[in-house]
Amino acid sequence: MSSPIWQKSSYSGSSNACVEVRTANALVELRESDDGDIIVRTTPATFAAFVQGIKAGEFDHHTNPTT
């Protein structure tokens, strides 16, 4: 049986500074491409809610520090 293939955003280009995602054993797995030893696992429903939050700008305040 082959391992599920890690996928990264097409916006990452050839960069290794990105998050990769795959499904395995009915879970969604995430890892940083430059540190593949640490894998975060979550349910598809939780991951979908997270992606919806990203698209809605729910986490934008974490990337724009206030001065």
Side-chain angles (χ1 to χ4, degrees), residues 33-67:
S33 57
D34 61 348
D35 189 7
D37 293 337
I38 299 171
I39 298 172
V40 175
R41 292 175 179 90
T42 190
T43 65
T46 300
F47 183 68
F50 177 64
V51 171
Q52 288 174 348
I54 291 170
K55 289 180 178 180
E58 191 174 324
F59 307 106
D60 288 355
H61 64 282
H62 292 290
T63 61
N64 298 320
T66 58
T67 54

Side-chain angles (χ1 to χ4, degrees), residues 18-39:
C18 62
V19 175
E20 298 176 317
V21 64
R22 72 178 181 184
T23 57
N25 301 318
L27 293 173
V28 176
E29 296 183 334
L30 301 135
R31 71 177 184 181
E32 290 213 30
S33 57
D34 61 348
D35 189 7
D37 293 337
I38 299 171
I39 298 172

Side-chain angles (χ1 to χ4, degrees), residues 5-22 31-33:
I5 297 172
W6 289 101
Q7 297 179 334
K8 65 179 180 176
S9 170
S10 60
Y11 291 104
S12 299
S14 62
S15 171
N16 278 339
C18 62
V19 175
E20 298 176 317
V21 64
R22 72 178 181 184
R31 71 177 184 181
E32 290 213 30
S33 57

